Amino acid sequence: MKTRKPTTSAARGSSSSSPPSHTLPLFSNMPRKSSLFKHTLIATVFFILAIYAFFSTFFHAPLPPSDSDSDSSSSLLDLGGVSSQENPIPFPEKVKVFMYDLPHKFTYGIIQQHSLARGGSPVPDITTLNYPGHQHMHEWFLFSDLARPQSDRLGSPVVKVTDPEEADLFYVPAFSSLSLIVNAGRPPGSASGYSDEEMQEQLAEWLTGQEYWKRNNGWDHVIIAGDPNALYRVVDRVKSAVLLVSDFGRLRPDQGSLVKDVVIPYSHRISTYTGDFGVKDRTTLLFFMGNRYRKEVINRLLQNAFEIDVLVEQGGKIRDLLFQILENEEDIVIKHGTQSRENRRAASRGMHTSKFCLNPAGDTPSACRLFDSIVSLCVPVIVSDSIELPFEDIIDYKKFSVFVETTTALKPGYLVSLLRKVPEQKIIEYQKAMKEVKRYYDYTHPNGTVNEIWRQVSQKLPLIKLMINRDKRLVKRELSEPNCSCLCSNQTGIINSLG
Amino acid sequence: MKTRKPTTSAARGSSSSSPPSHTLPLFSNMPRKSSLFKHTLIATVFFILAIYAFFSTFFHAPLPPSDSDSDSSSSLLDLGGVSSQENPIPFPEKVKVFMYDLPHKFTYGIIQQHSLARGGSPVPDITTLNYPGHQHMHEWFLFSDLARPQSDRLGSPVVKVTDPEEADLFYVPAFSSLSLIVNAGRPPGSASGYSDEEMQEQLAEWLTGQEYWKRNNGWDHVIIAGDPNALYRVVDRVKSAVLLVSDFGRLRPDQGSLVKDVVIPYSHRISTYTGDFGVKDRTTLLFFMGNRYRKEVINRLLQNAFEIDVLVEQGGKIRDLLFQILENEEDIVIKHGTQSRENRRAASRGMHTSKFCLNPAGDTPSACRLFDSIVSLCVPVIVSDSIELPFEDIIDYKKFSVFVETTTALKPGYLVSLLRKVPEQKIIEYQKAMKEVKRYYDYTHPNGTVNEIWRQVSQKLPLIKLMINRDKRLVKRELSEPNCSCLCSNQTGIINSLG
């Protein structure tokens, strides 16, 4: 919305009618002989002015774009605010997002299934159910944000609209990550009848049947698939949408990319460190707690649902090798442990009392642990060569993380000696940098992760609109390769970022 | 900028102090016995209200961002305006552009060479020379725009800065297209000693030696290479920059793409049609004037400077075939003709008196003719399967162009019968749509092509910043394929857009 400019006539009218400031004493110290007529006149002028100004101030709806150039008052073009010859705005106004009112089986129904699989009782109104906490609960935060009335979310970078005709983008709030773990960790045979795969198929069928999906082949849709395995069966049918993902570990280049999609942080699971900067209370040099063997865990989780790619095995092997190299160093704490409340408490303690926190690749390049490290002010040591990081256009991770190339990190003694050399002052710099960015990893912060995700999504709109217009006029071609536009990195890479 | 909302107290204050509407007769029909005190009181209240409302209405400067969150007033982050917890701005403020003060041999020196090669005399001050008009003179318009003082260009989507430290982007205003034609069309043996290739080498050497180029490996640089052959020798050394190009016909996918670069229109060369919509004065069904044989022309132009790719031969063959099919139809005008003032006048007449204008691929998929057609309100018939179009995020070319797949267009009788069926009303719709967008192809319009190019460039900034941050922390990897992020089209294509 533009700040309203006074129209020439209004400005002229008020500057001539409004009293100069030296008339003020007239009222506070009014001579008793003034004629009633004069007062009436003055009061009337003020009254009209007051009424005008009152309505202008408190009810000023945005003016329709005043457009002196007939070329630009265009029904043809979606000009995103570039509507005036005098006053072009380089960027569009806030992007308008419509959230689908999905059938409950894709949202609250999944919470219910998750609860039932854990011995919960059916409830009369499933929309009263609480979404269970886990590292991919970002889908809940985004859903909750858009479920609020627009009047409650004025600070958001996107506007929620309830009429799909007004929307720039369409959000699909399926709980795809929760669906994946409805039966996770249940003993064999005890699984409920729930099938994540059926949910995926039904969702894809429902979505691709929607009028607004078909209109632009899904390009203007936004789908959350936070868990690297979420929606794996149907991603080919919905890949033209902007995917909100943790990484691209399980996506082919034509399914997901930094250009089309948005990398979102995990929802961190351990408590924020509230103490001072420094290393006084951080007696451990390097801390890690997590699964030593990834493949086994993944197999259990997915119940051999689909082919596990080579990355998992590599990630698993590397973790095991790192354990072997590091577990006997005296100032390093490296522990095998799976997700549990007790282990989370231990991890929290460990991260709050360590200078560095190890972040190896897991079953995919990303992991929740990175965001735990940041809120713990424990300098992340990232040993994950293919990792993609959230919000990297505004966050320079080198300012608070140490990146180490994997094969180098596996050289005995290398990591320890590298980290021991980092001076305290440098660690404090890293910690300060982490404190500056930590709100970006906080889904509950009023200007935290949720807002930043919407801002990132908004930035995709020009490319989305380009693809929509271009796709509709592309003619049939016999191409030997997919028709892709790419952004390629030319650089050769570092060994470690402490160089 | 947001419209200011009333604060709670102000709103409450005025709703209780402002008079209900039935008090209006009090003033127009006031009883003579009313006490002066009462009048004074009422007038005072209105006066205060008027003063408050007056200032609120006419002087409401945007509030300074009120930032209660220490996390967000960050020196670490370039937040692009997202600086307030209450008030995030989804898009950055205007992007800041620094224009290099290039050595004259890359700018005015080329104009001089072009003049000398045509018998011009040396002048004492080469900055007084006029840039010669040609279809790639966009480099002159962008240079001139940024050469103006910032105070003259407040309507621009980008801010010019004179301190490179403040810049988001760096513009390299070399006259790369003019350089290419310094000796073009000169009889053999008469060429001046000027070498475009030397200029290219010198430019690449100068640029890649600059501190700000090296800082971010060129990602934040913008280079104009409008002629499809401009900078061909050195594009590999400068490809990480945002390239301003006419198409990607001579660029490999890792050198240029819709994602990284900006497609800019040719500078149209024929006069704008100023008559009415309709077909009354458009007696020709389809018009084309241009080179029938491309390869020959290109060879002459480039003086066998480099390998001419297969596209040229194809483009040439297709043109010749189109000539054969169309030249005997009675309401079709199709003429062989090269660039000359006289031919431009003839083309102008032809385009102003035809319903449709043929736009076949030339030596590359794009051609100046498309933009000539648009300003002539002559519906473009685009027979160029790999064409990329400028500003396609905001311009839907299907609304005023007919796209026809090449092999279909070559079927005898197909094009003519397709176009004859288009009703007059449809042609008028196309014409209206063209009139709405024509300022985007006008480099001299105050809110025309130049502004739109800067807006397009601005939209690249988030991806540029991401690539800058990411490149610096990427570790060494052995990749079998280039490290690219892509946006791929999934659609199968149309035969013609009139379907």
Side-chain angles (χ1 to χ4, degrees), chain B residues 5 22 47 49 93 98 115 124 132 135 137 160 163-164 179 186 202 358 415 420 438 466 469 482-483:
Chain B
K5 278 195 309 175
H22 66 257
F47 177 69
L49 194 73
E93 297 177 10
F98 173 83
S115 162
Q135 61 181 355
M137 66 185 297
K160 162 191 166 163
D163 178 357
S179 175
R186 300 298 94 194
Q202 288 172 9
L358 185 64
L415 255 189
R420 285 208 181 113
K438 76 176 163 40
L466 191 159
N469 283 332
N483 180 5

Side-chain angles (χ1 to χ4, degrees), chain A residues 1 24 76 88 155 484 486 488, chain B residues 1 47 77 88 155 399 484 486 488:
Chain A
M1 241 181 275
L24 195 69
L76 170 75
C484 298
C486 304
C488 304
Chain B
M1 241 180 277
F47 177 69
L77 294 166
K399 297 212 165 159
C484 299
C486 303
C488 304

Side-chain angles (χ1 to χ4, degrees), chain A residues 172-230:
Chain A
V172 183
F175 295 161
S176 57
S177 295
L178 183 61
S179 175
L180 207 63
I181 57 165
V182 161
N183 289 317
R186 301 298 94 194
S190 77
S192 73
Y194 182 78
S195 161
D196 169 55
E197 301 184 358
E198 268 171 37
M199 188 287 296
Q200 293 187 38
E201 296 286 353
Q202 288 172 10
L203 179 68
E205 199 179 318
W206 181 89
L207 184 60
T208 55
Q210 296 298 305
E211 171 191 352
Y212 291 99
W213 175 276
K214 288 187 279 190
R215 188 178 61 174
N216 292 321
N217 191 26
W219 283 113
D220 48 3
H221 280 56
V222 181
I223 301 180
I224 187 157
D227 189 303
N229 296 315

Side-chain angles (χ1 to χ4, degrees), chain A residues 284-471:
Chain A
T284 302
L285 176 71
L286 180 65
F287 177 84
F288 174 82
M289 184 165 172
N291 284 305
R292 179 169 188 155
Y293 311 103
R294 292 299 303 178
K295 191 159 181 282
E296 169 202 301
V297 179
I298 290 295
N299 268 334
R300 198 153 37 98
L301 175 72
L302 295 181
Q303 295 164 331
N304 57 51
F306 70 110
E307 191 196 351
I308 292 164
D309 62 30
V310 75
L311 212 56
V312 181
E313 289 204 71
Q314 283 181 341
K317 225 180 278 168
I318 287 160
R319 279 199 179 185
D320 188 30
L321 287 170
L322 279 170
F323 264 73
Q324 289 175 33
I325 288 168
L326 298 171
E327 62 193 346
N328 296 322
E329 298 284 342
E330 57 175 282
D331 50 357
I332 288 182
V333 174
I334 190 156
K335 279 188 206 160
H336 176 71
T338 51
Q339 280 275 356
S340 73
R341 186 166 302 178
E342 198 185 322
N343 279 344
R344 273 209 301 283
R345 259 197 299 269
S348 190
R349 265 196 313 275
M351 287 188 165
H352 290 185
T353 55
S354 302
K355 298 181 186 74
F356 295 94
C357 284
L358 185 63
N359 289 269
D363 49 318
T364 64
S366 71
C368 180
R369 193 167 295 102
L370 172 61
F371 311 103
D372 288 336
S373 308
I374 294 171
V375 298
S376 301
L377 304 191
C378 179
V379 182
V381 176
I382 298 173
V383 182
S384 179
D385 299 353
S386 301
I387 198 168
E388 297 298 348
L389 297 158
F391 316 150
E392 202 165 4
D393 59 331
I394 55 163
I395 297 175
D396 180 353
Y397 285 82
K398 253 184 90 182
K399 297 211 165 160
F400 56 82
S401 310
V402 180
F403 292 86
V404 187
E405 190 263 335
T406 302
T407 53
T408 308
L410 291 176
K411 288 182 192 156
Y414 181 89
L415 254 189
V416 189
S417 108
L418 182 78
L419 299 180
R420 284 208 183 113
K421 275 188 299 201
V422 181
E424 179 174 341
Q425 194 44 46
K426 183 78 189 164
I427 294 176
I428 292 173
E429 267 174 42
Y430 282 141
Q431 290 174 338
K432 287 184 175 163
M434 283 189 273
K435 193 160 184 212
E436 282 188 26
V437 298
K438 76 176 163 42
R439 76 173 164 102
Y440 289 98
Y441 310 106
D442 184 349
Y443 278 92
T444 62
H445 190 288
N447 194 23
T449 320
V450 171
N451 275 6
E452 185 53 26
I453 290 173
W454 292 134
R455 208 182 64 82
Q456 297 278 336
V457 167
S458 297
Q459 291 180 164
K460 304 292 182 192
L461 196 58
L463 272 180
I464 290 171
K465 288 188 168 175
L466 191 159
M467 293 307 274
I468 289 173
N469 283 333
R470 182 173 175 271
D471 254 16

